[in-house]
């Protein structure tokens, strides 16, 4: 793509999300979402083939539906409160519709069906933007309306998301689908604590973005999109195998890596608010996630081949440059002792 | 306590910066020096714990376990030299780094005051152990073994996290030093029953309890020698140590909640001992023997009398040293015949007489011969369980008999009899191996002169 045009489109995506996060007028928020959606379609379609077209169409249809639902909720809110400022939502119907719309944008169950298919159909870099940047805008709106969200719907969606994210990823070998199901599960964790302490949602979002960025960078570095091609990394860059191991264990939420921090804080917050069965269930279902991460690590770093790899090797093009990888890796694995720094998020 | 932790962390740069012919020498020497530092902790002047800071402390229960942990690192390094000799240098350094990381986490676990910090480090020990088992094990079954190990332990310990946080909610602090002064009886309610279960299941899986022990034979058999040593000697004791710490907060539910686990342990120790009589795989035999001994520890901890606590602590230390020594002996067989089948390497006494002496001593301590500390542990546990209920003497007596049976079975199969023709070309024992066995046996024999230091905090 012409670099100038690509820059313009990318800036529009960024601008759209920024508008959503910084507006106080509901209409501007809706405009921000639409700007974001329209500008990201060309980015999703960077490679021009039917698979990408299908993925982009699915993405466009679901997100447009969600935007329309959001607009309806905004109008109902306007009818009942008489003003456009974003504070809490004044009508329970509007609140439910808005929550469903934002869940559709995020990919929470039962609106999660588009996430694996869209993520699989696009290139790795576009998938990266889809799974990290696109989550910022809806999450910021959820953060702002969090006092008025119906707790039943929110917690049901959260628990179901963790379940679906864990179970759905079990049968996958394509890396992008695995990352998609991992995203569904993490969104579930984030929304579960939204009603109790939204700061922890932001913490989880931060650490999730760091870990997902790291994973995608490592995948892009070896241009691997399936488990099979990931198992070639010990031939190309043996150091990457260790990094993949550490990052995957961190995503699974194993102490002493930093992926444990959001889970621990969320479980602590939920337990302090006297809901005990919920965090236990959530924690045990996160083990499903850990199972398919372990499977990935087994094929990548924990099995040593005494001979050369007896699988078809792909052509080794020049290694793509990865930005910012060492600090990302350090942050996605060693952040746990810095847990008392959470106070800066308030 | 930092005087032990920081040198252990520094062992990692030591391995990475050492020259190729010095890595084993450097790491073994310095880890031996660190273990000498930890010996000073055994001097506990009064019944109170030695508090080093708000975060680390050492009391008569954790000090012997700490000394055992630090003592075992040089032994593990010595035992791993042979099977790693053919690997590239970076992999050797990675292996030693994993062992050192595990050692750091274990030291911090045994000396942690805050129970959540104990929990995080308890879970953190899983990661290096998993990497050691799955990456450096020898058979394809090791992948399954790693998964079983990880998931059994995690399933048990996630409810523990929730339980610890709810206890913190209730009492305001989880610092162990404070809690021993707070101790009130837990009110009787359904949710407190689940609290009891959540707290104990993690340690029951780790011990392991008889019904939840499936991960142990797999993990022990598939792990390389250092992995087996650290699993048998220390990681199982983490469960016992955790149980001893947490049962102080869980009264009075323990008096009735403990019954199912007592039944499982009492029956399980006989079952696993009997399975040992039918094993063909040497490491599997030692693994099941570990389950059997740990079942005794579970019985002792759940009975909650001063004598039983003494027996549990002594038995943990004794079993750690004995089991680790047995794994080293089995490994010396494995390195020669590359098979774990017992009958393939029989009649070794004629070929390797000094090793036969070590086999004899290890088997005798395994069957709890007087005056070793194994006997002290087992005897205290048998006596206290007899006072708890007279009938258990039948089960305990049966267990002691069957333990003697399989220990002697192992000894006689590997050592006595005519050797087979295919092993008359094995290499003689290395000095390293003899040193390893001596370093295991000497503490065991010396402790029988003064067992007071390992009898724990109820002495």
């Amino acid at each position: 793509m012409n670099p100038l045009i690509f820059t313009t489109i990318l800036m529009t995506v960024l601008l759209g999300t920024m508008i959503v996060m910084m507006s106080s007028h509901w209409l501007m928020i809706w405009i921000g979402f639409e700007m974001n959606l329209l500008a990201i379609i060309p980015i999703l379609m960077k490679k021009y083939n039917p698979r990408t077209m299908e993925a982009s169409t699915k993405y466009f249809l679901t997100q447009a539906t969600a935007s329309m639902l959001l607009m309806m909720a905004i109008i109902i809110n306007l009818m009942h409160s008489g003003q456009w400022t974003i504070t809490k939502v004044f009508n329970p119907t509007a609140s439910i519709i808005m929550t469903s719309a934002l869940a559709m944008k995020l990919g929470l169950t039962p609106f999660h069906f588009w996430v694996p298919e869209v993520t699989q159909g696009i290139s790795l870099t576009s998938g990266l933007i889809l799974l990290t940047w696109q989550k910022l805008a809806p999450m910021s709106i959820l953060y702002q309306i969090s006092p008025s969200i119906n707790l039943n719907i929110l917690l049901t969606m959260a628990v179901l998301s963790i379940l679906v994210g864990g179970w759905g990823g079990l049968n996958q070998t394509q890396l992008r689908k695995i990352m998609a199901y991992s995203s569904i599960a993490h969104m579930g964790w984030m929304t579960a604590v939204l009603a109790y302490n939204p700061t922890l949602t932001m913490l989880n979002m931060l650490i999730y973005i760091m870990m997902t960025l790291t994973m995608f960078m490592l995948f892009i570095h070896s241009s691997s999109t399936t488990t099979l091609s990931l198992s070639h990394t010990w031939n190309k860059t043996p150091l990457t195998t260790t990094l993949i191991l550490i990052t995957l264990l961190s995503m699974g939420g194993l102490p002493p890596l930093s992926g444990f921090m959001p889970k621990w804080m969320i479980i602590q917050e939920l337990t302090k608010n006297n809901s005990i069965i919920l965090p236990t269930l959530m924690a045990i279902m996160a083990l499903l996630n850990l199972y398919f991460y372990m499977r990935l690590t087994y094929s990548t770093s924990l099995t040593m081949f005494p001979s050369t790899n007896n699988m078809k090797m792909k052509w080794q093009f020049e290694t793509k440059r990865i930005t910012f990888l060492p600090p990302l890796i350090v942050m996605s694995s060693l952040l746990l002792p810095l847990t008392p720094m959470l106070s800066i998020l308030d | 306590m930092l005087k032990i932790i920081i040198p252990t962390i520094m062992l990692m740069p030591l391995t990475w910066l050492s020259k190729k012919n010095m890595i084993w020498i450097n790491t073994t020497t310095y880890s031996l020096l660190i273990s000498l530092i930890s010996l000073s902790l055994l001097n506990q002047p009064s019944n109170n714990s030695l508090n080093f800071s708000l975060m680390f402390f050492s009391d008569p229960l954790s000090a012997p376990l700490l000394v055992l942990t630090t003592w075992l690192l040089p032994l593990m390094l010595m035992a791993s030299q042979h099977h790693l000799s053919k690997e590239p240098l970076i992999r050797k350094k990675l292996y030693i780094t994993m062992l050192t990381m595990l050692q750091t986490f274990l030291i911090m676990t045994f000396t942690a005051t805050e129970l959540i910090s104990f929990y995080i480090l308890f879970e953190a020990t899983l990661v290096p152990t998993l990497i050691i088992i799955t990456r450096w094990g020898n058979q394809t079954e090791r992948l399954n073994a790693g998964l079983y190990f990880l998931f059994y332990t995690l399933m048990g310990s996630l409810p523990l996290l929730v339980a610890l946080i709810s206890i913190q909610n209730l009492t305001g602090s989880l610092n162990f030093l404070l809690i021993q002064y707070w101790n009130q009886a837990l009110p009787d309610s359904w949710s407190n029953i689940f609290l009891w279960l959540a707290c104990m299941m993690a340690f029951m899986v780790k011990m392991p309890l008889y019904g939840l022990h499936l991960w142990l034979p797999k993990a022990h058999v598939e792990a390389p020698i250092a992995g087996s040593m650290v699993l048998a000697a220390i990681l199982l004791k983490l469960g016992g140590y955790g149980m001893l710490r947490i049962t102080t907060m869980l009264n009075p539910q323990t008096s009735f909640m403990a019954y199912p686990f007592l039944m499982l342990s009492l029956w399980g120790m006989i079952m696993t001992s009997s399975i040992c009589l039918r094993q063909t795989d040497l490491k599997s035999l030692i693994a099941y023997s570990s389950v059997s001994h740990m079942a005794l520890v579970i019985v002792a901890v759940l009975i909650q009398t001063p004598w039983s606590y003494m027996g549990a602590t002594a038995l943990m230390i004794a079993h750690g040293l004995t089991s680790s020594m047995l794994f080293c002996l089995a490994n010396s067989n494995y390195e020669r015949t590359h098979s774990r089948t017992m009958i393939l390497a029989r009649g070794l006494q004629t070929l390797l007489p000094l090793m036969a002496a070590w086999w004899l001593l290890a088997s005798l301590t395994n069957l709890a011969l007087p005056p070793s500390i194994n006997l002290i542990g087992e005897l205290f546990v048998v006596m206290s369980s007899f006072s708890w209920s007279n009938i258990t003497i039948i089960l305990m007596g049966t267990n002691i008999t069957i333990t003697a049976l399989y220990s002697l079975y192992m000894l006689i199969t590997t050592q006595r009899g005519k050797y087979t023709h295919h092993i008359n070309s094995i290499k003689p024992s290395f000095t390293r191996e003899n040193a390893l066995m001596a370093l295991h046996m000497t503490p065991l024999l010396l402790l029988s002169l003064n067992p007071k230091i390992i009898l724990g905090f109820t002495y």
Side-chain angles (χ1 to χ4, degrees):
Chain A
M1 206 188 290
N2 185 353
L4 187 60
I5 299 185
F6 183 67
T7 318
T8 317
I9 293 180
L10 203 57
M11 285 300 126
T12 318
V13 173
L14 297 177
L15 186 62
T17 312
M18 287 293 132
I19 290 180
V20 169
M21 294 206 294
M22 293 187 208
S23 299
S24 51
H25 193 282
W26 274 117
L27 193 61
M28 292 307 293
I29 289 177
W30 182 82
I31 290 178
F33 272 122
E34 293 301 301
M35 209 192 296
N36 192 8
L37 171 62
L38 286 176
I40 204 168
I41 298 295
I43 294 189
L44 293 185
M45 285 192 55
K46 259 202 293 196
K47 285 197 212 152
Y48 194 62
N49 56 40
R51 189 85 173 84
T52 352
M53 278 203 296
E54 175 195 345
S56 315
T57 318
K58 280 184 188 157
Y59 185 67
F60 180 76
L61 286 175
T62 49
Q63 299 285 306
T65 317
S67 291
M68 283 299 111
L69 281 174
L70 186 65
M71 182 50 108
M72 180 158 127
I74 293 174
I75 305 273
I76 298 180
N77 188 27
L78 173 66
M79 272 172 45
H80 283 264
S81 68
Q83 44 88 25
W84 290 92
T85 322
I86 178 167
T87 52
K88 68 186 192 73
V89 180
F90 286 95
N91 184 7
T93 318
S95 165
I96 294 178
I97 298 179
M98 197 174 291
T99 319
S100 317
L102 291 169
M104 242 191 267
K105 283 196 177 290
L106 278 177
L108 285 175
T109 315
F111 308 115
H112 67 278
F113 294 97
W114 61 270
V115 188
E117 297 167 25
V118 174
T119 322
Q120 180 59 30
I122 55 186
S123 68
L124 275 171
T125 326
S126 312
L128 170 63
I129 299 181
L130 181 74
L131 286 182
T132 52
W133 184 259
Q134 296 295 91
K135 312 285 182 195
L136 281 178
M139 198 50 90
S140 72
I141 303 297
L142 273 177
Y143 181 96
Q144 289 172 11
I145 64 171
S146 61
S148 49
I149 304 183
N150 186 350
L151 202 59
N152 291 329
I153 293 189
L154 196 67
L155 285 178
T156 317
M157 284 200 292
V159 171
L160 283 177
S161 297
I162 302 177
L163 209 55
V164 163
W167 252 322
L170 283 182
N171 203 20
Q172 306 298 337
T173 53
Q174 295 283 332
L175 291 177
R176 288 169 285 179
K177 276 204 172 134
I178 288 183
M179 295 310 292
Y181 281 107
S182 139
S183 144
I184 298 176
H186 276 109
M187 290 299 133
W189 276 90
M190 285 184 231
T191 45
V193 79
L194 194 61
Y196 297 97
N197 190 354
T199 316
L200 291 178
T201 310
M202 288 300 127
L203 169 75
N204 201 349
M205 175 66 90
L206 195 65
I207 300 205
Y208 163 71
I209 288 182
M210 274 197 292
M211 294 192 295
T212 314
L213 264 176
T214 319
M215 277 319 298
F216 267 103
M217 296 295 192
L218 289 168
F219 291 158
I220 291 172
H221 173 71
S222 45
S223 307
S224 44
T225 51
T226 62
T227 316
L228 197 64
S229 53
L230 196 63
S231 65
H232 291 154
T233 41
W234 76 275
N235 292 97
K236 301 178 195 166
T237 36
L239 181 59
T240 327
T241 57
T242 323
L243 298 173
I244 291 181
L245 170 69
I246 298 178
T247 319
L248 277 173
L249 288 178
S250 181
M251 284 190 91
L254 281 185
L257 304 165
S258 51
F260 178 64
M261 189 188 351
K263 295 204 162 59
W264 172 27
M265 289 292 120
I266 290 178
I267 292 181
Q268 182 163 359
E269 198 60 40
L270 286 170
T271 318
K272 283 195 170 146
N273 283 305
N274 277 325
S275 75
I276 309 232
I277 306 182
L278 184 67
T280 321
L281 258 170
M282 282 165 53
I284 293 188
M285 292 192 289
L287 286 181
L288 287 169
N289 260 348
L290 183 64
Y291 179 71
F292 56 80
Y293 296 145
M294 286 309 303
R295 223 179 18 202
L296 268 184
T297 60
Y298 275 6
S299 67
T300 314
S301 36
L302 286 179
T303 45
M304 288 191 306
F305 295 96
S307 58
T308 49
N309 225 338
N310 54 356
M311 294 179 241
K312 273 197 276 195
M313 300 265 297
K314 293 162 92 166
W315 274 111
Q316 174 105 349
F317 295 113
E318 58 176 54
T319 322
K320 302 206 166 71
R321 192 184 340 152
I322 16 174
T323 34
F324 210 50
L325 190 60
L328 267 181
I329 292 182
V330 168
M331 284 201 287
S332 63
S333 51
L334 294 177
L335 219 44
L336 191 63
L338 288 181
T339 311
M341 279 184 61
L342 279 188
S343 45
I344 60 173
L345 280 174
D346 256 323
Chain B
M1 198 49 63
L2 276 181
K3 61 183 180 276
I4 302 181
I5 295 179
I6 296 213
T8 315
I9 297 180
M10 280 308 175
L11 279 177
M12 288 194 260
L14 178 69
T15 34
W16 285 98
L17 296 173
S18 295
K19 288 192 296 201
K20 179 178 161 109
N21 53 356
M22 287 294 283
I23 38 171
W24 295 111
I25 303 176
N26 277 339
T27 45
T28 319
T29 320
Y30 284 103
S31 45
L32 264 175
L33 283 176
I34 296 174
S35 68
L36 286 179
I37 302 176
S38 69
L39 279 178
S40 68
L41 286 174
L42 284 176
N43 177 29
Q44 305 257 343
S46 68
N47 204 15
N48 261 332
S49 46
L50 288 175
N51 295 327
F52 293 101
S53 77
L54 274 180
M55 291 175 294
F56 295 119
F57 81 123
S58 125
D59 80 348
L61 169 60
S62 64
L65 287 168
L66 191 64
V67 174
L68 182 63
T69 314
T70 49
W71 184 244
L72 243 112
L73 182 60
L75 300 183
M76 288 195 277
L77 291 169
M78 283 204 288
S80 318
Q81 277 183 18
H82 186 234
H83 78 91
L84 287 180
S85 55
K86 296 217 173 40
E87 301 226 354
L89 184 63
I90 293 194
R91 283 192 195 156
K92 282 192 221 179
K93 290 184 175 173
L94 264 176
Y95 192 76
I96 300 179
T97 312
M98 286 296 128
L99 285 178
T100 316
M101 225 193 295
L102 182 59
Q103 177 81 343
T104 320
F105 289 141
L106 281 170
I107 294 177
M108 292 205 276
T109 317
F110 279 127
T111 53
T113 49
E114 179 86 30
L115 281 174
I116 295 258
S117 149
F118 168 76
Y119 172 81
I120 293 182
L121 295 161
F122 175 79
E123 299 282 298
T125 57
L126 289 178
V127 176
T129 319
L130 173 77
I131 297 180
I132 293 178
I133 296 180
T134 343
R135 185 122 194 237
W136 278 280
N138 280 314
Q139 279 79 27
T140 47
E141 289 84 10
R142 71 186 193 273
L143 304 174
N144 219 5
L147 277 176
Y148 264 72
F149 167 66
L150 186 69
F151 281 92
Y152 262 76
T153 318
L154 279 177
M155 280 290 282
S157 61
L158 283 169
L160 175 65
L161 179 63
V162 182
L164 284 177
I165 295 179
S166 64
I167 292 180
Q168 184 178 25
N169 216 5
L170 205 60
T171 66
S173 158
L174 274 180
N175 199 331
F176 184 70
L177 307 168
L178 286 180
I179 282 189
Q180 51 184 351
Y181 295 116
W182 162 81
N183 256 334
Q184 299 167 357
L186 270 182
D188 204 7
S189 70
W190 271 105
S191 57
N192 280 331
I193 290 184
F194 282 110
L195 184 76
W196 192 97
L197 270 177
C199 287
M200 297 295 269
M201 286 319 285
F203 304 118
M204 293 292 180
V205 170
K206 199 82 175 157
M207 282 297 284
L209 182 66
Y210 173 58
L212 304 164
H213 67 287
L214 279 183
W215 64 270
L216 188 125
K218 290 193 201 307
H220 273 157
V221 164
E222 303 302 331
I225 176 61
S228 290
M229 283 168 74
V230 77
L231 263 174
I234 313 285
L235 288 176
L236 300 187
K237 319 307 183 261
L238 268 181
Y241 174 77
M243 265 206 277
L244 282 169
R245 289 275 182 237
I246 243 181
T247 44
T248 56
M249 299 189 284
L250 291 175
N251 289 313
Q253 266 87 3
T254 317
S255 55
F256 59 89
M257 283 301 296
Y259 277 110
F261 301 103
L262 276 167
M263 298 307 130
L264 272 176
S265 301
L266 285 169
W267 185 235
M269 68 187 180
I270 297 187
M271 289 306 292
T272 44
S273 307
S274 320
I275 293 181
C276 285
L277 290 170
R278 299 285 298 166
Q279 287 294 332
T280 52
D281 184 339
L282 188 54
K283 277 179 97 164
S284 190
L285 197 153
I286 306 173
Y288 277 110
S289 137
S290 286
V291 181
S292 169
H293 286 273
M294 285 297 112
L296 275 172
V297 175
I298 297 182
V299 170
V301 173
L302 289 175
I303 294 180
Q304 291 189 308
T305 71
W307 279 75
S308 75
Y309 274 14
M310 281 198 270
T313 324
L315 195 53
M316 284 202 285
I317 307 290
H319 173 256
L321 286 167
T322 313
S323 211
S324 172
M325 184 169 178
L326 282 170
F327 274 116
C328 287
L329 289 167
N331 187 51
S332 69
N333 269 358
Y334 179 77
E335 283 171 4
R336 288 171 172 75
T337 55
H338 281 289
S339 158
R340 295 191 301 260
T341 319
M342 258 196 294
I343 54 172
L344 280 185
R346 59 182 188 271
L348 288 178
Q349 187 166 9
T350 16
L351 297 171
L352 307 171
L354 183 55
M355 204 48 85
W358 300 123
W359 271 102
L360 178 68
L361 282 174
S363 304
L364 289 180
T365 48
N366 199 20
L367 57 92
L369 197 73
S372 64
I373 44 179
N374 300 56
L375 175 77
I376 294 178
E378 279 200 32
L379 202 57
F380 280 22
V381 176
V382 171
M383 285 193 294
S384 45
S385 74
F386 180 67
S387 87
W388 175 73
S389 153
N390 291 359
I391 308 180
T392 55
I393 192 81
I394 306 176
L395 296 168
M396 293 282 179
T398 320
N399 184 43
I400 296 186
T401 318
I402 305 185
T403 308
L405 280 173
Y406 71 71
S407 299
L408 289 176
Y409 166 60
M410 181 171 62
L411 179 68
I412 293 177
T413 318
T414 51
Q415 303 304 116
R416 314 280 176 188
K418 184 160 170 43
Y419 60 85
T420 55
H421 59 90
H422 61 79
I423 57 168
N424 58 8
S425 56
I426 57 175
K427 297 196 176 83
S429 311
F430 296 105
T431 314
R432 173 185 59 88
E433 291 174 348
N434 285 325
L436 199 57
M437 308 310 163
L439 284 174
H440 273 112
M441 208 60 213
T442 321
L444 208 52
L445 294 175
L446 285 177
L447 276 172
S448 58
L449 295 177
N450 187 7
K452 158 175 87 167
I453 46 182
I454 54 162
L455 283 180
F457 52 80
T458 48
Y459 178 73

